[in-house]
Amino acid sequence: MLPCINWLQPFLALISSTLITHGHNCPSRCLCPDHHTVNCTSQGLTGMPDSIPLDVRRLLLSNNWIPWIPSDFLVLYSDLVYLDLRNNSLSQLEPGTLSSSSRLVILDLGSNNLTEIPSGMFGELKSLIKLRLGNNPYLTIVARNSFTGLTSLRELELERNGFSILDVRVLEPLPSLRTIRLEGNPWVCNCHFAKLFVWLTQNQHKLPTGMEGIECTLPLDGRRVPLSLLSEDSFRECHGTLTLTDYLIVIFSGISVSFAAIMASFLLASIVHCFHRLSKGSKGDEEEGKD
């Protein structure tokens, strides 16, 4: 009897594992191909699924109609490594929603309706390596401190959004950045774009499509041109840094204006004094004539 039980143990273990993985621990309308993966792709979901295993590591929710994520939704899922929310109806995420996902490595928010990336949206996801925010056509604003704390981020996707300008200081807190996608945005090559252009020129190796893959609109005639056709001289009118000559001109102009003001005041005072004396002289002559 005992050898028979030993022979059946592997089969019993397999059946038990299958029941745990595909049974009540897996949300309805979702698949759980392994103990740490929940796949709810293309299930027509209009909200976050219920009964997600607490030890889930890969949560796949792409191609649904999910409009929002409860701010405390991810608090219980501390082991989450990969969150895929691509191609949903997300218009915003509350700051702090993702801050509890300390082990998150890949976050995909592409192809949604996001309009803004506010400060604190990602908290300090120090393990995050890849962040996908592309194909959000209404996304036009990224707060300056949005990416603060993402010290391990290597890939950032911001392609085909609605950006016409982007504060280059947004990218400064990303010391590990290796790849950034910015093509397909309606960039405008004005003075607001000048600093970003300099940064892109210095970091061309991080652009998968190169400078020729990114276009901008010239403000004078509205033509779209690749950034590869431009140079820093194209933005020379935007430079706010004063040279030594500029400083000397400013100083000389200030001295000249001050001197001119002093001379004008002196001349005006002299004229008033002369008129005053002439007036007194005229009155004296009239009094002598009367006498």
Side-chain angles (χ1 to χ4, degrees):
M1 186 67 178
L2 187 59
C4 185
I5 293 175
N6 291 336
W7 182 78
L8 287 174
Q9 279 183 344
F11 294 97
L12 293 174
L14 178 62
I15 293 172
S16 176
S17 176
T18 303
L19 289 174
I20 291 174
T21 303
H22 296 280
H24 66 276
N25 283 339
C26 192
S28 60
R29 301 169 64 182
C30 301
L31 299 175
C32 299
D34 59 65
H35 189 57
H36 297 292
T37 300
V38 175
N39 187 353
C40 305
T41 301
S42 303
Q43 294 300 312
L45 299 178
T46 57
M48 302 297 285
D50 297 323
S51 305
I52 298 175
L54 297 180
D55 58 352
V56 63
R57 295 179 184 174
R58 300 176 73 247
L59 182 55
L60 312 178
L61 298 165
S62 62
N63 302 324
N64 285 293
W65 301 96
I66 300 173
W68 70 292
I69 303 175
S71 58
D72 59 348
F73 177 79
L74 296 173
V75 172
L76 298 175
Y77 307 111
S78 57
D79 292 334
L80 195 63
V81 173
Y82 180 20
L83 177 58
D84 185 1
L85 282 161
R86 177 172 37 91
N87 195 23
N88 275 280
S89 302
L90 297 172
S91 59
Q92 64 178 3
L93 289 178
E94 296 182 20
T97 300
L98 302 165
S99 60
S100 58
S101 305
S102 58
R103 297 186 181 180
L104 200 63
V105 174
I106 300 175
L107 174 60
D108 195 340
L109 296 171
S111 300
N112 277 281
N113 298 320
L114 296 174
T115 59
E116 179 182 1
I117 306 298
S119 296
M121 177 171 170
F122 303 109
E124 292 192 7
L125 302 181
K126 295 182 179 180
S127 298
L128 196 67
I129 291 178
K130 181 180 291 188
L131 176 58
R132 293 172 174 166
L133 292 167
N135 294 289
N136 281 275
Y138 308 111
L139 181 56
T140 58
I141 300 174
V142 178
R144 180 178 174 182
N145 297 322
S146 296
F147 301 139
T148 300
L150 305 184
T151 53
S152 299
L153 192 69
R154 296 180 183 178
E155 299 181 30
L156 175 60
E157 297 183 2
L158 294 170
E159 78 281 6
R160 289 184 288 278
N161 292 321
F163 296 117
S164 59
I165 59 173
L166 181 67
D167 190 341
V168 72
R169 292 175 294 181
V170 168
L171 306 175
E172 291 176 354
L174 301 175
S176 302
L177 191 64
R178 299 292 179 268
T179 302
I180 181 170
R181 296 189 60 182
L182 294 168
E183 69 274 11
N185 284 284
W187 302 112
V188 178
C189 281
N190 52 22
C191 290
H192 296 293
F193 187 76
K195 290 184 178 180
L196 180 60
F197 178 81
V198 173
W199 188 92
L200 292 174
T201 302
Q202 296 171 349
N203 294 272
Q204 294 187 48
H205 58 284
K206 299 178 181 179
L207 304 173
T209 60
M211 295 288 279
E212 61 276 4
I214 304 176
E215 295 183 341
C216 68
T217 300
L218 299 179
L220 294 179
D221 56 16
R223 286 188 300 120
R224 299 282 295 175
V225 297
L227 297 189
S228 57
L229 298 180
L230 304 176
S231 66
E232 291 189 34
D233 287 339
S234 304
F235 300 91
R236 60 182 177 275
E237 296 180 357
C238 303
H239 296 324
T241 304
L242 297 178
T243 63
L244 177 61
T245 302
D246 295 327
Y247 281 115
L248 292 175
I249 292 173
V250 170
I251 294 172
F252 179 76
S253 299
I255 294 174
S256 300
V257 170
S258 300
F259 181 76
I262 294 172
M263 292 301 296
S265 299
F266 177 78
L267 180 61
L268 182 61
S270 300
I271 293 173
V272 170
H273 181 70
C274 289
F275 272 109
H276 183 67
R277 294 195 60 178
L278 288 173
S279 176
K280 288 181 65 177
S282 298
K283 288 181 179 179
D285 292 341
E286 289 179 1
E287 289 177 357
E288 287 180 0
K290 289 179 181 180
D291 294 338

